[in-house]
Amino acid sequence: MMDAIRGLMDFIDGAPTAFHAVARIGEALEAAGYIRLEEREPWRLAPGGRYYVTRNRSSVIAFRIPESGLAPFQIVASHSDSPCFKLKPNAGKTAQGLALLNVEKYGGMLMSSWLDRPLSVAGRLIVEGEEGFETRLVDVARNLALIPNLPIHFNRAANDGVALNPQVDMLPIVGAEGADIMEAVAESAGVRRASIAGGDLFLYNRDRATLLGVSDEFIAAPRLDDLACAYASLRALLAAKPSKHIDMLCVFDNEEVGSGTKQGADSTLLIEALRRIALALNAQPQALEAAVAGSFMVSADNAHAAHPNHPEKYDEQNRVYMNGGVVVKSNANQKYTSDGLSAAVFERICAKAGVPTQRFANRSDIAGGSTLGNISNAHASMNAVDIGLAQLAMHSACETMGARDVQYLIDALTAFHETEIGILRDGSVRLGYAPLR
Ligand code: ZN
């Protein structure tokens, strides 16, 4: 269990942005023998092969093909991005003898949690070299910026709830007047300033992931939503024994801004990968459609743990707890994809693997959140369940989850890959289990 916890904390520390998260996933996949594909080139795939592909270097799909060739897909999908602040194109600004960064919101964060803490800058640079433009990841990786609060003396009502305007209140200081952020960025990327033609740069919280609590019951870290699920799904794919279906991992960017980008869950990324896999395996007509109809997706994104100081915010019978096991999320309006069949299938797989599960639904008068499962399902439609791990303070710069839950999710997703989910006909499923380890 400690291996899983340490692994997650290390993954988060090394993934300040979606670009870094996908790079780390790619490294782990290649170390496990996965072959990198380019969307730009024809795919040549072989039964028994393992492959991965990225789009925008911020979304990734990995899959392994059984010896028998095309088969139904068993997919775990999560997201690589987290709410943060993005540098505007002209990010330099000065005020009161200080250099500031002109930033804007990416996603819906708890803005107050970003105040008064050391921040840094990371993302990707577009660097012009001999062969044209290329992408280079960058992480300045030192305490570089801070968004200062107003003193209590100038805002006596601050503890009664404070309104923060992102255009006014959320600009970090980065040095004395004249300090140039791009000098620090170019230096840490090891490139000449003049060679930088563009980039996507973000602020991130410099806190490292840490264990917390009298008995180390919790993990406190930035970006637990959704790197905890992305990490667990990677570990599960790499740990699972070979199966008769096509095991797949999807980590999509841009969930926090609605998924509607070329690399988000609302794009062609997944459906085109499925089509190309079928084509490369010389599938017969209708074989892909039949395989997708027999497929199953686990949409993994974190859930709201019961808050000890505000239990009234949660439905009394459908609240969930940190270290209570994997959360199965339901919503009548299908913001979550779970339905009677998919939830039953997933819960049975967890029970077989000895992983506890708990059921979440929002209060009927609180909208809650949404995620990528139903968005992805509008493109590649298949049986799907929405799950996650219970955490506090979702979209804070520092979130908290149960330490035990990391291993629970890895075990649950490993068991998912090792289970043959046989969709017999519409509405009927038979589960075949791999031999117990
Ligand atoms: Zn999320």
Side-chain angles (χ1 to χ4, degrees), residues 70-73 246 286-296 382 423:
L70 184 65
F73 299 86
I246 298 181
Q286 296 196 44
L288 174 63
E289 290 79 0
V292 172
S295 296
F296 197 104
M382 62 189 70
I423 314 282

Side-chain angles (χ1 to χ4, degrees), residues 96 113 118 240-241 273 369 379:
Q96 310 304 314
S113 68
K241 283 179 272 196
H379 297 272

Side-chain angles (χ1 to χ4, degrees), residues 25 52 84 113 157 177 218 235 245 258 321 329 369 375 403 420:
I25 291 169
Y52 80 103
C84 62
S113 68
E177 187 168 346
F218 312 113
R235 286 280 301 256
H245 48 264
Y321 303 91
K329 304 189 260 181
I375 294 171
E420 303 298 335

Side-chain angles (χ1 to χ4, degrees), residues 78-79 81-83 224-227 229 255-256 300-303 329 370-372 391 394-395 399:
S78 61
H79 65 90
D81 61 323
S82 300
L224 287 174
D225 170 17
D226 192 25
L227 294 187
C229 290
E255 191 275 342
E256 300 294 357
D301 198 358
N302 276 355
K329 304 189 260 181
S370 62
T371 180
L372 56 82
Q391 66 157 88
M394 191 174 285
H395 293 189
E399 302 172 323

